[in-house]
Amino acid sequence: MSVSSADTEAFLSHDYKKTILIVRYGELSLKSKGVRDRYEQILKNNIQQMLDYCGVQYSQVQRDFGRIFVHTEDIGAAAAVSRVFGVVSVSSAYTCSSVPEDITSLCAAVGAADIGSGETFAVRARRSGNHSFTSNDIAKECGDAIWNQLTENGKTPAVDLKNPDKEIFVEVRQKQSYIYFDALKGPGGFPTGTQSKMVVLLSGGIDSPVAAWLMMKRGVEIIPVFFDNEEYGNPISTEKAIENAKVLLRWMPGRKHKIYRINHGKYMEKMMATAHPKNICLLCKRSMFKTAGAVMKKEGASGIITGSSLGQVASQTAENMLSETYGLSLPLYHPLIALDKQEIIDIAQKIGTFDISIRSNGEKECLAVPDKPEVKALLTAAADEENKMDFDLDAFIQKMVEDAEIIEVKF
Ligand code: ATP
Ligand code: MG
């Protein structure tokens, strides 16, 4: 059966609208049934929250054997869902029953409308459930139907199964079938909230927002913590850190979020009074770790994320990282440790933090950094410097956390 071009236009403007999103997910489908059920439910809720946050109109979000379907005609829906952690890809699809005639006529109408004259095409079909036909049968019938329709519309059809200009995907499920042309990539990973909360040491730089995002991708809900070095810092770092925190938190809308801004200037002043200048960065970092540990405890979180990348700057040699944490028992995560700067920049650009991170007012971001910082610290260098300071550091850290400015954000 073929449809005339006038009919094709009528179909496209009335019956043949894309009315559904097919949402695919990856690694979570490898989980045992109970865990998968729970993760899928969380993913479904997160998708709804993202759709609501993006102002997308939809009537239903539905789970169905390894897929989530969103009933929507909103053209912004696929882009919104492609920002949900756990989603591998999403396609905006036409849908019809799984009766072969319905599939082929829908394919003929929407396929022929999409394929230009002289463009090659291929139909890719997959099927799940019990039917009287195979996926090859339906691919062939759809291909024939599109061919006839193109001819009738005055276009020259050409099939190329290897390297076509246009691909038409047909997904046949038990009662309902779906036809689509492309898929938007999602971030993959696990849905937000499937792993526990973690504190992230978020500076104004390029790296730490990327580190946070990579952990969010694994299902972690983040609590950003920024250390404001006050007279040793630069106000632009504070602005950038808070803006980047908000960009990150928009990847997990629908929850109440907190950003901690901790005044770290007094501590800097105290340690600079006694520390050897070359060890200042070691001590500064050690204090950030300890204070983040106190925030972690207070928030019931279970890890601390940093943007450290091995050897990238003086503070990030293996010796320094070891010395900074010597004797501390803290669950530190450094997801960028083995990434190159360019790899980090590529992710920063993709997630929307890069342009914020590179802003500069022409001033140094930290005035406390010595000319020649230690790059090969002795194991106990940072702890020894700490012991030289004549005040109760634990109490000082508790006070920094108590006095922190907590910025509440809800999207
Ligand atoms: P970034 O690019 O993330 O700013 P960086 O390359 O400047 O990091 P360092 O200053 O050595 O490198 O910092 C390493 C990590 O320590 C950062 O990625 C971040 O996790 C944390 N950090 C550094 N400064 C701060 C700060 N002021 N507030 C919170 N975390 C910080
Ligand atoms: Mg860095």
Side-chain angles (χ1 to χ4, degrees), residues 207 307 312-313 316 341:
D207 305 304
Q312 190 194 81
V313 289
Q316 293 166 25
K341 193 73 190 185

PDB file of all heavy atoms in Angstrom, residues 207 307 312-313 316 341, ligand 2:
ATOM      1  N   ASP A 207      39.362  22.149  36.443  1.00  0.00           N
ATOM      2  CA  ASP A 207      39.376  20.713  36.747  1.00  0.00           C
ATOM      3  C   ASP A 207      38.284  20.228  37.702  1.00  0.00           C
ATOM      4  O   ASP A 207      37.618  19.225  37.422  1.00  0.00           O
ATOM      5  CB  ASP A 207      40.748  20.328  37.325  1.00  0.00           C
ATOM      6  CG  ASP A 207      41.873  20.743  36.399  1.00  0.00           C
ATOM      7  OD1 ASP A 207      41.842  20.326  35.238  1.00  0.00           O
ATOM      8  OD2 ASP A 207      42.761  21.503  36.821  1.00  0.00           O
ATOM      9  N   GLY A 307      39.811  17.706  42.095  1.00  0.00           N
ATOM     10  CA  GLY A 307      40.124  17.778  40.667  1.00  0.00           C
ATOM     11  C   GLY A 307      41.597  17.524  40.384  1.00  0.00           C
ATOM     12  O   GLY A 307      42.109  17.951  39.352  1.00  0.00           O
ATOM     13  N   GLN A 312      49.966  17.623  37.114  1.00  0.00           N
ATOM     14  CA  GLN A 312      49.499  18.787  36.352  1.00  0.00           C
ATOM     15  C   GLN A 312      50.114  20.088  36.875  1.00  0.00           C
ATOM     16  O   GLN A 312      50.516  20.955  36.113  1.00  0.00           O
ATOM     17  CB  GLN A 312      47.970  18.867  36.410  1.00  0.00           C
ATOM     18  CG  GLN A 312      47.404  19.900  35.462  1.00  0.00           C
ATOM     19  CD  GLN A 312      45.947  20.201  35.775  1.00  0.00           C
ATOM     20  OE1 GLN A 312      45.662  20.973  36.672  1.00  0.00           O
ATOM     21  NE2 GLN A 312      45.064  19.581  35.024  1.00  0.00           N
ATOM     22  N   VAL A 313      50.135  20.239  38.193  1.00  0.00           N
ATOM     23  CA  VAL A 313      50.803  21.392  38.814  1.00  0.00           C
ATOM     24  C   VAL A 313      51.640  20.880  39.981  1.00  0.00           C
ATOM     25  O   VAL A 313      51.524  19.718  40.381  1.00  0.00           O
ATOM     26  CB  VAL A 313      49.787  22.467  39.307  1.00  0.00           C
ATOM     27  CG1 VAL A 313      49.130  23.194  38.155  1.00  0.00           C
ATOM     28  CG2 VAL A 313      48.738  21.846  40.213  1.00  0.00           C
ATOM     29  N   GLN A 316      50.432  18.593  42.710  1.00  0.00           N
ATOM     30  CA  GLN A 316      49.812  17.323  42.349  1.00  0.00           C
ATOM     31  C   GLN A 316      50.803  16.232  41.929  1.00  0.00           C
ATOM     32  O   GLN A 316      50.493  15.370  41.118  1.00  0.00           O
ATOM     33  CB  GLN A 316      48.752  17.569  41.269  1.00  0.00           C
ATOM     34  CG  GLN A 316      47.581  18.376  41.835  1.00  0.00           C
ATOM     35  CD  GLN A 316      46.665  18.946  40.785  1.00  0.00           C
ATOM     36  OE1 GLN A 316      46.580  18.427  39.688  1.00  0.00           O
ATOM     37  NE2 GLN A 316      45.989  20.029  41.113  1.00  0.00           N
ATOM     38  N   LYS A 341      45.223  17.250  30.334  1.00  0.00           N
ATOM     39  CA  LYS A 341      44.508  18.531  30.414  1.00  0.00           C
ATOM     40  C   LYS A 341      43.480  18.669  29.287  1.00  0.00           C
ATOM     41  O   LYS A 341      42.352  19.105  29.519  1.00  0.00           O
ATOM     42  CB  LYS A 341      45.507  19.695  30.372  1.00  0.00           C
ATOM     43  CG  LYS A 341      44.901  21.025  30.746  1.00  0.00           C
ATOM     44  CD  LYS A 341      44.630  21.121  32.244  1.00  0.00           C
ATOM     45  CE  LYS A 341      43.801  22.329  32.614  1.00  0.00           C
ATOM     46  NZ  LYS A 341      43.651  22.478  34.070  1.00  0.00           N
TER      47      LYS A 341
HETATM   48 MG    MG B   2      44.072  21.587  37.974  1.00  0.00          MG
END
